Amino acid sequence: MTAQDVELPIVSNEDVVRVRQLVRAVAAEAGMSLVDQTKIVTAASELARNTFVHGGGGSARVESVVNARGRAGVRLVVTDNGPGIPDIDKALTEGWTSGSGLGLGLPGARRLADEFELDTKAGEGTTVTVTKWIR
Amino acid sequence: MDRVPILKIGDVLLVSIQIDLQDQTVLALQEDLADRIVKTGARGVIIDITAVDIVDSFIGRMFATIASMSRLMDAETVVVGMRPAVAITLVELGLSLGGVRTALDLEKGMRVLGAPLPAVRPGTS
C-alpha cells in the first residue's frame, strides 16, 4: 500500500543530495523520530552514492508504506543498470571495498535499515530496497 | 557547486558548514583547507557541523582525512557541534572517527586548540 511514491534520477552528485532531501521529507511527514530519520537518510546517501559511482547512475524511488499490521514506514528502492555485484557476500562485508572507499556503504545501509534486500545480476544491474518502520 | 567558506580567527581556521554537502564540495573543502593552512600558518582547524543533519561514510572519511592532512602540516583539527542523531547514526554505520578530535561546541573547540577566547568585559569580574 502506497500513500506517496516519488522517483528521482541519480546521475550526478547533486542527485545524491536530492535523494537525501526527499527521503528526509517523506520520513518527517510519516512521523518518524529524528534519530530514525537520520538513519534512513544516511542509508539513502550510501545507496545513492553507490548507484552513481559504481552503478553508472540509476534512480531512487521513495515510498511511504504501511505493513499488514498497520505499521507505517518509509521504503527506498535504488536501482541501476550497471555491472552488477559479482560477489554479494563480499559486498556486504564491512571493510571490503571495490574502490577507494571504506567498504561501509552496503553493510552500513543494511545496519541502519530495518529491512534490507539486495537484487543483483552480472551485466544487468543492481536494486537495493531498504525499509525503516516507525517505532 | 557550492564552496564552503573558510574564516580565519587568529591562528585558527574556522569552517562552518551550512549547506547540504555533496561529495565534490567536501573534496574541494579539503583542498582549500590545505592551501589556507600553508598560506596562513594556522595551528588549528575547527569544522563546525552544528547545521549538518547527516554524516555518511564519505563525509565522515573526509573529516578524518582533513584531520590527518592538517596534522602533517602542524595544525590540529577539531570537529564541533555534532548533533546527537548524527552521532548515534555514525556509530551504527560503523564509523567511530577515532582519529578526529571533537568538542561539543565552538567555544569548547577553541579551548581544545588553546585559542584565546574573548576576555571577560572589564568590571564584570
Side-chain angles (χ1 to χ4, degrees):
Chain A
M1 203 167 84
T2 306
Q4 205 175 350
D5 194 331
V6 188
E7 187 155 342
L8 280 179
I10 306 174
V11 291
S12 69
N13 277 309
E14 286 102 317
D15 290 336
V16 175
V17 174
R18 281 188 202 105
V19 170
R20 293 205 296 244
Q21 290 167 342
L22 176 63
V23 172
R24 170 77 69 182
V26 173
E29 200 185 308
M32 194 172 275
S33 76
L34 186 59
V35 170
D36 283 346
Q37 281 180 36
T38 306
K39 287 181 183 177
I40 190 72
V41 173
T42 305
S45 190
E46 301 290 346
L47 298 175
R49 179 180 299 104
N50 277 353
T51 289
F52 174 58
V53 174
H54 303 295
S59 64
R61 197 169 78 242
V62 185
E63 308 166 346
S64 175
V65 291
V66 179
N67 74 4
R69 283 169 293 154
R71 197 171 178 197
V74 174
R75 177 168 294 148
L76 169 73
V77 185
V78 181
T79 306
D80 68 59
N81 300 310
I85 300 170
D87 189 333
I88 296 175
D89 287 340
K90 253 192 198 166
L92 287 173
T93 303
E94 196 173 308
W96 186 86
T97 171
S98 60
S100 58
L102 290 172
L104 287 175
L106 273 182
R110 177 155 76 161
R111 263 202 307 274
L112 292 171
D114 294 326
E115 286 170 27
F116 177 94
E117 207 179 296
L118 176 63
D119 187 11
T120 185
K121 220 172 219 170
E124 287 182 25
T126 302
T127 297
V128 183
T129 305
V130 288
T131 309
K132 190 105 194 143
W133 298 107
I134 289 163
R135 273 163 241 289
Chain B
M1 187 193 71
D2 296 318
R3 267 185 132 82
V4 181
I6 301 171
L7 310 176
K8 184 172 171 293
I9 308 173
D11 276 347
V12 175
L13 297 178
L14 172 63
V15 176
S16 186
I17 299 167
Q18 304 288 333
I19 51 168
D20 275 318
L21 287 173
Q22 55 165 293
D23 294 1
Q24 296 306 319
T25 309
V26 185
L27 291 171
L29 172 62
Q30 186 189 329
E31 287 174 22
D32 292 349
L33 261 177
D35 279 351
R36 287 294 294 274
I37 292 170
V38 171
K39 282 197 185 116
T40 62
R43 302 300 304 271
V45 174
I46 291 186
I47 303 175
D48 169 34
I49 58 168
T50 312
V52 173
D53 58 10
I54 76 139
V55 174
D56 64 10
S57 64
F58 185 86
I59 300 169
R61 179 163 59 117
M62 279 306 130
F63 291 159
T65 306
I66 287 170
S68 310
M69 176 197 82
S70 315
R71 200 170 299 129
L72 290 174
M73 294 183 290
D74 200 21
E76 186 77 26
T77 301
V78 187
V79 172
V80 306
M82 187 180 291
R83 297 181 180 190
V86 170
I88 292 168
T89 302
L90 264 182
V91 172
E92 196 163 321
L93 183 65
L95 206 61
S96 54
L97 293 185
V100 182
R101 293 203 71 170
T102 57
L104 278 183
D105 56 37
L106 182 56
E107 198 176 323
K108 292 194 172 78
M110 294 289 274
R111 211 167 278 145
V112 165
L113 292 175
L117 290 165
V120 179
R121 273 184 296 133
T124 55
S125 56

